[in-house]
Amino acid sequence: MVAQASLALDVPDRGAVSPALAIERCEPAVLEAAAQPYVHLAVWHRRFPEALDWLGSLDWSAIDDCELTSRVEVLPVTIADGLAAAGYPYGARGTALCDEIVGLARHFAGALKLDAVTVRLEVIETDACRKFHADYVAARLLCTLVGQGTQWRYGPDVADTPIRQLRTGDVAIFKGRLATDTPAILHRSPPILGTGETRLLLAIDPA
């Protein structure tokens, strides 16, 4: 279903722009809409998990980027080992972060009927991916865990196209160029160079 009135959803003019839709809801089931060919963006708006409030206080100089590929059934072990190797804390905090990533990876895999996924957890301090683009994947889940959320817009990168922005903790599945020749929705990392801001971005792709 298309987003309810409580969530703003602008549907493009079908006579001028691709009929692809962005669908936004406050429940995780919305991510399943990403499997539909006309849905180019599915967004789960949610409260940021309280169990991860500590993330913003990490010493980023002690944290490495993490990239792991795993079959879905062994994700908890793979993610836990990867987080420990990257410098994330052990104990209850590490378990909470692992549970968050595993849960989102399972949502992504379930929506797209995947047996395996690639998970990246990146510390971003520059203007990485600052231009609006579509990724060379079938689909990608993005969730910002620290800092500003991903920005997105309909259509080509032109000055008068309104820019939207996900909130910290929102979960979004963007269609990529391997799923459609003409992506109707583009996204980028918000420009932060020179601001002193650090972002922690979770990205999940089909393996």
Side-chain angles (χ1 to χ4, degrees):
M1 295 177 62
V2 176
Q4 302 299 317
S6 59
L7 286 171
L9 173 65
D10 289 342
V11 178
D13 177 359
R14 292 171 184 261
V17 185
S18 166
L21 296 177
I23 299 184
E24 305 177 68
R25 297 287 297 272
C26 292
E27 55 190 45
V30 70
L31 299 178
E32 298 174 9
Q36 301 300 322
Y38 60 87
V39 175
H40 283 209
L41 171 61
V43 181
W44 171 22
H45 292 294
R46 61 173 190 157
R47 292 182 180 273
F48 187 81
E50 292 184 4
L52 299 181
D53 283 343
W54 53 271
L55 279 172
S57 64
L58 285 174
D59 176 5
W60 300 115
S61 65
I63 302 295
D64 294 326
D65 289 342
C66 182
E67 181 170 347
L68 305 161
T69 297
S70 174
R71 294 186 63 81
V72 173
E73 63 265 26
V74 295
L75 270 170
V77 174
T78 304
I79 298 301
D81 289 348
L83 291 176
Y88 289 92
Y90 293 91
R93 293 190 299 172
T95 298
L97 180 58
C98 180
D99 289 347
E100 169 76 359
I101 295 171
V102 170
L104 295 183
R106 285 174 172 164
H107 278 303
F108 182 68
L112 299 181
K113 305 297 188 292
L114 303 172
D115 294 325
V117 295
T118 295
V119 175
R120 289 184 292 111
L121 191 59
E122 297 182 82
V123 178
I124 299 173
E125 298 174 312
T126 64
D127 286 352
C129 299
R130 63 183 177 84
K131 294 184 178 181
F132 282 99
H133 65 283
D135 298 303
Y136 283 92
V137 293
R140 173 168 290 169
L141 182 148
L142 294 176
C143 178
T144 303
L145 297 174
V146 175
Q148 298 182 58
T150 298
Q151 295 177 340
W152 64 275
R153 70 192 330 171
Y154 280 110
D157 186 2
V158 294
D160 59 351
T161 305
I163 297 175
R164 321 299 178 84
Q165 188 158 19
L166 301 175
R167 299 174 301 185
T168 307
D170 282 349
V171 182
I173 297 179
F174 290 85
K175 282 283 175 63
R177 294 188 178 275
L178 297 186
T180 173
D181 292 334
T182 308
I185 292 173
L186 307 177
H187 67 278
R188 73 173 182 182
S189 295
I192 60 171
L193 184 64
T195 67
E197 179 180 345
T198 297
R199 300 176 66 233
L200 182 63
L201 180 67
L202 173 67
I204 304 176
D205 296 338

